[in-house]
Short mmCIF file of all heavy atoms in Angstrom, two decimals:
data_model
loop_
_atom_site.label_atom_id
_atom_site.label_comp_id
_atom_site.label_asym_id
_atom_site.label_seq_id
_atom_site.Cartn_x
_atom_site.Cartn_y
_atom_site.Cartn_z
N GLU S 513 13.68 142.09 -140.67
CA GLU S 513 14.28 143.36 -140.28
C GLU S 513 14.25 144.33 -141.45
O GLU S 513 14.64 143.99 -142.57
CB GLU S 513 15.73 143.15 -139.84
CG GLU S 513 16.44 144.44 -139.47
CD GLU S 513 17.88 144.21 -139.10
OE1 GLU S 513 18.13 143.80 -137.94
OE2 GLU S 513 18.77 144.41 -139.96
N ASP S 514 13.77 145.54 -141.19
CA ASP S 514 13.82 146.63 -142.16
C ASP S 514 14.93 147.59 -141.75
O ASP S 514 15.00 148.02 -140.59
CB ASP S 514 12.47 147.36 -142.22
CG ASP S 514 11.43 146.55 -142.95
OD1 ASP S 514 11.69 146.14 -144.09
OD2 ASP S 514 10.35 146.31 -142.37
N TYR S 515 15.75 147.93 -142.72
CA TYR S 515 16.95 148.71 -142.49
C TYR S 515 16.89 149.94 -143.38
O TYR S 515 16.64 149.84 -144.59
CB TYR S 515 18.14 147.81 -142.85
CG TYR S 515 19.52 148.42 -142.93
CD1 TYR S 515 20.46 148.18 -141.93
CD2 TYR S 515 19.93 149.17 -144.03
CE1 TYR S 515 21.74 148.69 -142.02
CE2 TYR S 515 21.20 149.68 -144.13
CZ TYR S 515 22.11 149.44 -143.12
OH TYR S 515 23.38 149.94 -143.21
N PHE S 516 17.08 151.10 -142.79
CA PHE S 516 17.02 152.37 -143.53
C PHE S 516 18.25 153.18 -143.15
O PHE S 516 18.40 153.59 -142.00
CB PHE S 516 15.72 153.10 -143.16
CG PHE S 516 15.51 154.41 -143.88
CD1 PHE S 516 16.01 154.64 -145.14
CD2 PHE S 516 14.78 155.42 -143.27
CE1 PHE S 516 15.79 155.83 -145.80
CE2 PHE S 516 14.55 156.62 -143.91
CZ PHE S 516 15.06 156.84 -145.18
N ARG S 517 19.14 153.37 -144.10
CA ARG S 517 20.38 154.10 -143.84
C ARG S 517 20.48 155.29 -144.78
O ARG S 517 20.22 155.15 -145.99
CB ARG S 517 21.60 153.20 -144.06
CG ARG S 517 22.92 153.86 -143.67
CD ARG S 517 24.11 153.07 -144.15
NE ARG S 517 24.31 153.25 -145.60
CZ ARG S 517 25.24 152.61 -146.30
NH1 ARG S 517 26.00 151.70 -145.71
NH2 ARG S 517 25.38 152.83 -147.59
N SER S 518 20.88 156.44 -144.25
CA SER S 518 21.05 157.64 -145.07
C SER S 518 22.35 158.33 -144.72
O SER S 518 22.77 158.34 -143.55
CB SER S 518 19.88 158.61 -144.88
OG SER S 518 18.69 158.06 -145.41
N TYR S 555 22.20 166.13 -148.90
CA TYR S 555 21.74 164.74 -148.90
C TYR S 555 22.50 163.97 -149.98
O TYR S 555 22.59 164.40 -151.13
CB TYR S 555 20.24 164.67 -149.16
CG TYR S 555 19.74 163.26 -149.41
CD1 TYR S 555 19.58 162.37 -148.36
CD2 TYR S 555 19.45 162.83 -150.70
CE1 TYR S 555 19.13 161.08 -148.59
CE2 TYR S 555 19.00 161.55 -150.95
CZ TYR S 555 18.85 160.67 -149.89
OH TYR S 555 18.40 159.39 -150.12
N ASP S 557 22.70 159.92 -150.16
CA ASP S 557 22.02 158.70 -150.61
C ASP S 557 21.36 158.01 -149.42
O ASP S 557 21.56 158.39 -148.27
CB ASP S 557 22.99 157.74 -151.31
CG ASP S 557 24.13 157.27 -150.42
OD1 ASP S 557 24.00 157.33 -149.19
OD2 ASP S 557 25.18 156.85 -150.94
N SER S 558 20.57 157.01 -149.76
CA SER S 558 19.93 156.15 -148.75
C SER S 558 19.98 154.72 -149.24
O SER S 558 19.98 154.46 -150.45
CB SER S 558 18.48 156.56 -148.50
OG SER S 558 18.38 157.82 -147.91
N ARG S 559 20.01 153.81 -148.28
CA ARG S 559 19.89 152.39 -148.59
C ARG S 559 18.68 151.85 -147.84
O ARG S 559 18.55 152.04 -146.62
CB ARG S 559 21.13 151.61 -148.19
CG ARG S 559 20.98 150.10 -148.36
CD ARG S 559 22.25 149.35 -147.99
NE ARG S 559 23.34 149.72 -148.87
CZ ARG S 559 24.58 149.25 -148.73
NH1 ARG S 559 24.88 148.43 -147.75
NH2 ARG S 559 25.52 149.64 -149.57
N ILE S 560 17.81 151.17 -148.55
CA ILE S 560 16.64 150.53 -147.96
C ILE S 560 16.84 149.03 -148.11
O ILE S 560 17.03 148.52 -149.21
CB ILE S 560 15.36 150.99 -148.69
CG1 ILE S 560 15.24 152.52 -148.62
CG2 ILE S 560 14.13 150.34 -148.07
CD1 ILE S 560 14.25 153.07 -149.60
N GLN S 561 16.78 148.33 -147.00
CA GLN S 561 17.18 146.92 -147.00
C GLN S 561 16.23 146.12 -146.12
O GLN S 561 15.68 146.64 -145.14
CB GLN S 561 18.61 146.83 -146.48
CG GLN S 561 19.28 145.49 -146.58
CD GLN S 561 20.76 145.63 -146.23
OE1 GLN S 561 21.53 146.27 -146.94
NE2 GLN S 561 21.16 145.05 -145.12
N ARG S 562 16.04 144.87 -146.48
CA ARG S 562 15.19 143.99 -145.67
C ARG S 562 15.79 142.60 -145.62
O ARG S 562 16.23 142.05 -146.64
CB ARG S 562 13.77 143.93 -146.23
CG ARG S 562 12.83 142.98 -145.45
CD ARG S 562 11.41 143.05 -145.99
NE ARG S 562 10.87 144.38 -145.81
CZ ARG S 562 9.91 144.90 -146.57
NH1 ARG S 562 9.40 144.19 -147.56
NH2 ARG S 562 9.46 146.11 -146.34
N PHE S 602 16.73 138.31 -149.23
CA PHE S 602 17.38 139.60 -149.01
C PHE S 602 16.86 140.61 -150.02
O PHE S 602 16.72 140.30 -151.21
CB PHE S 602 18.89 139.44 -149.14
CG PHE S 602 19.67 140.69 -148.85
CD1 PHE S 602 19.87 141.11 -147.56
CD2 PHE S 602 20.22 141.44 -149.89
CE1 PHE S 602 20.59 142.27 -147.29
CE2 PHE S 602 20.94 142.59 -149.64
CZ PHE S 602 21.13 143.01 -148.32
N TYR S 603 16.57 141.82 -149.55
CA TYR S 603 16.02 142.89 -150.38
C TYR S 603 16.86 144.15 -150.19
O TYR S 603 17.31 144.45 -149.08
CB TYR S 603 14.58 143.21 -149.98
CG TYR S 603 13.63 142.04 -150.01
CD1 TYR S 603 13.63 141.08 -149.00
CD2 TYR S 603 12.70 141.89 -151.03
CE1 TYR S 603 12.75 140.01 -149.01
CE2 TYR S 603 11.80 140.84 -151.06
CZ TYR S 603 11.84 139.90 -150.04
OH TYR S 603 10.96 138.85 -150.06
N ARG S 604 17.04 144.89 -151.27
CA ARG S 604 17.81 146.14 -151.15
C ARG S 604 17.48 147.07 -152.32
O ARG S 604 17.37 146.64 -153.46
CB ARG S 604 19.31 145.86 -151.12
CG ARG S 604 20.17 147.12 -151.15
CD ARG S 604 21.63 146.79 -151.02
NE ARG S 604 22.48 147.86 -151.52
CZ ARG S 604 23.80 147.83 -151.52
NH1 ARG S 604 24.44 146.79 -151.04
NH2 ARG S 604 24.50 148.84 -152.02
N THR S 605 17.31 148.35 -151.99
CA THR S 605 17.16 149.41 -152.99
C THR S 605 17.99 150.60 -152.53
O THR S 605 17.94 150.98 -151.34
CB THR S 605 15.69 149.82 -153.15
OG1 THR S 605 14.96 148.75 -153.75
CG2 THR S 605 15.56 151.06 -154.04
N ASP S 606 18.76 151.18 -153.45
CA ASP S 606 19.56 152.36 -153.15
C ASP S 606 18.93 153.58 -153.81
O ASP S 606 18.49 153.53 -154.97
CB ASP S 606 20.99 152.19 -153.67
CG ASP S 606 21.76 151.15 -152.87
OD1 ASP S 606 21.33 150.85 -151.74
OD2 ASP S 606 22.78 150.65 -153.36
N ILE S 607 18.87 154.68 -153.04
CA ILE S 607 18.40 155.96 -153.56
C ILE S 607 19.60 156.91 -153.57
O ILE S 607 20.17 157.20 -152.52
CB ILE S 607 17.27 156.54 -152.70
CG1 ILE S 607 16.08 155.58 -152.65
CG2 ILE S 607 16.82 157.90 -153.23
CD1 ILE S 607 14.98 156.04 -151.70
N ASP S 659 11.84 159.96 -144.34
CA ASP S 659 11.03 158.91 -144.97
C ASP S 659 9.91 159.53 -145.80
O ASP S 659 9.66 159.15 -146.95
CB ASP S 659 10.45 158.01 -143.88
CG ASP S 659 10.00 156.67 -144.41
OD1 ASP S 659 9.93 156.51 -145.65
OD2 ASP S 659 9.72 155.77 -143.61
N LEU S 662 11.28 161.29 -148.98
CA LEU S 662 11.73 160.39 -150.04
C LEU S 662 10.60 159.56 -150.63
O LEU S 662 10.74 159.01 -151.73
CB LEU S 662 12.81 159.43 -149.50
CG LEU S 662 14.16 160.06 -149.15
CD1 LEU S 662 15.06 159.03 -148.48
CD2 LEU S 662 14.85 160.63 -150.38
N GLY S 663 9.48 159.46 -149.89
CA GLY S 663 8.44 158.53 -150.33
C GLY S 663 9.02 157.14 -150.43
O GLY S 663 8.93 156.48 -151.47
N ARG S 664 9.61 156.71 -149.33
CA ARG S 664 10.47 155.51 -149.34
C ARG S 664 9.81 154.32 -150.03
O ARG S 664 8.75 153.84 -149.62
CB ARG S 664 10.82 155.13 -147.90
CG ARG S 664 11.70 153.90 -147.82
CD ARG S 664 12.44 153.75 -146.52
NE ARG S 664 11.68 153.91 -145.31
CZ ARG S 664 11.74 153.07 -144.29
NH1 ARG S 664 12.47 151.97 -144.36
NH2 ARG S 664 11.06 153.30 -143.19
N PRO S 665 10.43 153.79 -151.10
CA PRO S 665 9.86 152.64 -151.81
C PRO S 665 10.16 151.33 -151.10
O PRO S 665 11.00 151.27 -150.19
CB PRO S 665 10.58 152.69 -153.17
CG PRO S 665 11.91 153.28 -152.85
CD PRO S 665 11.66 154.27 -151.74
N GLU S 666 9.48 150.28 -151.50
CA GLU S 666 9.79 148.95 -150.98
C GLU S 666 11.14 148.49 -151.57
O GLU S 666 11.44 148.77 -152.74
CB GLU S 666 8.72 147.94 -151.40
CG GLU S 666 7.41 148.10 -150.63
CD GLU S 666 7.58 147.70 -149.17
OE1 GLU S 666 8.01 146.57 -148.89
OE2 GLU S 666 7.31 148.55 -148.31
N PRO S 667 11.98 147.81 -150.79
CA PRO S 667 13.26 147.34 -151.33
C PRO S 667 13.06 146.24 -152.36
O PRO S 667 12.08 145.49 -152.32
CB PRO S 667 13.99 146.83 -150.09
CG PRO S 667 12.91 146.47 -149.13
CD PRO S 667 11.80 147.45 -149.37
N GLU S 668 14.00 146.14 -153.28
CA GLU S 668 13.94 145.17 -154.36
C GLU S 668 14.52 143.83 -153.92
O GLU S 668 15.57 143.78 -153.27
CB GLU S 668 14.72 145.69 -155.56
CG GLU S 668 14.77 144.73 -156.75
CD GLU S 668 15.70 145.22 -157.84
OE1 GLU S 668 16.24 146.34 -157.70
OE2 GLU S 668 15.88 144.48 -158.83
N LEU S 670 16.69 140.79 -154.05
CA LEU S 670 17.96 140.50 -154.72
C LEU S 670 18.20 139.00 -154.69
O LEU S 670 18.54 138.43 -153.65
CB LEU S 670 19.11 141.24 -154.02
CG LEU S 670 19.09 142.76 -154.08
CD1 LEU S 670 20.36 143.33 -153.47
CD2 LEU S 670 18.93 143.26 -155.50
#
Side-chain angles (χ1 to χ4, degrees):
E513 178 183 280
D514 285 306
Y515 170 106
F516 181 29
R517 186 192 76 184
S518 292
Y555 170 76
D557 61 22
S558 294
R559 174 178 297 177
I560 302 164
Q561 188 171 294
R562 178 175 297 155
F602 183 77
Y603 304 77
R604 174 176 159 180
T605 292
D606 290 341
I607 301 175
D659 199 348
L662 291 173
R664 179 161 48 132
E666 286 292 304
E668 178 187 357
L670 295 185

